[in-house]
Amino acid sequence: MRDCETTLLVQGLHFAEAPRWHDGRLWLSDIFGRRVLTVEESGEVATVAELPDALPCGLGFLPDGTPLVVNMQRPEILALGPSGPRVHADVSHLAVGGLNDMVVDDRGRAYVGSMGTHGALVPRPVAADGVVILVEPDGSARVVADEMDAPNGPCLLPDGGYVVAEFPASRLVGFTRAPDGSLADRTVWADLHPASADGIAADGAGAIWTASPRDHECRRVLRGGEVSDRIPVGDAMPLACALGGSDGHTLFILAALGGEEAIKERTCRSVVLTARVAVGAHAGAPR
């Protein structure tokens, strides 16, 4: 097993989540800052959109480059354009609990996690009632997976499969995808107990990097659960990660400072860390 070291890239963010490497830059949502940001490899930060009436989270892009962002404040997906945000999809009729993270494929189909009525921090066991919602490029939507335990941190594998983290259940759940985007063949991709995962990212070998907040590290997990690499982050809580950089071999880690109470009280701060990894992003990774 290999340990990797981290380098501080950005500090002073409010609550950074949902990283995506796109168009030569890291994109992220600063949730409590109510804004979407980009970060250059040099660490330069730019604001893409101020969203005073939203709590932005999951990010993705339509084939024409239009950014999509999940609104945690209301069950909707926003499209960001030159004239400001507009509602791309209202999924209030499908959502069970609040929305969270999202991944968008190369055809513009967005897979959005709806957390269920219990949230992620309620002690288990409880009935898993979260859902995964598929939003088509035209904004139409349908549920493609139910009975999910607070689905979060999705990614697409090199073979086109879909994997999502169930933080409370301490596992990654995998599906195959049909030509119409529907999910099938549900399986436990990796049992992570007693560890867990928040945001995740797949690499070119089909392994998955998991941000493990309560373990204060990121882990590279193989199908079945074997851990091949670890990246400790000290006292910080890693919440999400993304592979990118000019050569695809930089793992960007979004980590919160101050612990879970600070997150609940919205007084936390976030940093972006980087680590160089042996296996880079896969060619078909959402960008």
Side-chain angles (χ1 to χ4, degrees):
M1 185 182 302
R2 203 168 64 95
D3 280 8
C4 306
E5 296 183 354
T6 62
T7 299
L8 177 65
L9 183 65
V10 176
Q11 57 186 337
L13 303 178
H14 293 279
F15 187 48
E17 260 281 15
R20 290 283 179 256
W21 180 261
H22 176 74
D23 196 23
R25 297 173 293 172
L26 182 73
W27 293 62
L28 61 89
S29 289
D30 193 7
I31 298 176
F32 298 156
R34 297 178 183 266
R35 56 187 180 168
V36 174
L37 307 175
T38 60
V39 181
E40 305 288 345
E41 288 190 83
S42 63
E44 181 181 351
V45 179
T47 300
V48 174
E50 299 276 2
L51 299 168
D53 297 321
L55 285 173
C57 192
L59 285 168
F61 303 88
L62 293 175
D64 67 1
T66 300
L68 300 180
V69 59
V70 168
N71 184 2
M72 299 177 71
Q73 192 159 289
R74 292 181 293 278
E76 62 188 15
I77 313 304
L78 302 175
L80 306 181
S83 58
R86 62 173 175 82
V87 176
H88 175 66
D90 180 340
V91 296
S92 56
H93 60 300
L94 300 174
V96 182
L99 305 183
N100 197 329
D101 212 344
M102 171 176 71
V103 66
V104 181
D105 70 12
D106 60 357
R107 296 180 56 181
R109 297 178 297 200
Y111 295 83
V112 186
S114 183
M115 300 291 282
T117 58
H118 309 293
L121 300 178
V122 174
R124 265 41 180 184
V126 296
D129 61 356
V131 298
V132 176
I133 300 168
L134 173 61
V135 178
E136 297 285 357
D138 64 1
S140 61
R142 66 187 190 275
V143 171
V144 289
D146 58 10
E147 298 184 356
M148 302 293 297
D149 195 359
N152 188 24
C155 71
L156 299 179
L157 297 175
D159 64 6
Y162 169 86
V163 177
V164 65
E166 292 185 319
F167 179 86
S170 299
R171 64 191 178 195
L172 302 179
V173 177
F175 298 84
T176 59
R177 293 196 302 149
D180 69 350
S182 298
L183 301 181
D185 305 318
R186 177 174 178 163
T187 186
V188 176
W189 196 89
D191 184 347
L192 305 174
H193 188 79
S196 192
D198 197 337
I200 63 178
D203 68 21
I208 292 177
W209 281 99
T210 68
S212 303
R214 292 173 175 167
D215 304 290
H216 303 282
E217 65 181 18
C218 284
R219 298 171 172 171
R220 182 176 183 265
V221 179
L222 309 182
R223 182 164 191 157
E226 178 185 349
V227 176
S228 66
D229 301 79
R230 298 177 186 267
I231 304 177
V233 297
D235 294 332
M237 295 179 64
L239 301 177
C241 56
L243 281 165
S246 57
D247 64 357
H249 285 261
T250 298
L251 186 72
F252 295 91
I253 302 167
L254 276 50
L257 309 176
E260 289 186 25
E261 285 304 313
I263 295 174
K264 291 177 184 177
E265 295 170 3
R266 301 191 179 186
T267 60
C268 62
R269 287 294 180 265
S270 286
V271 296
V272 180
L273 307 171
T274 63
R276 297 291 291 168
V277 297
V279 181
H282 62 90
R287 290 174 177 267

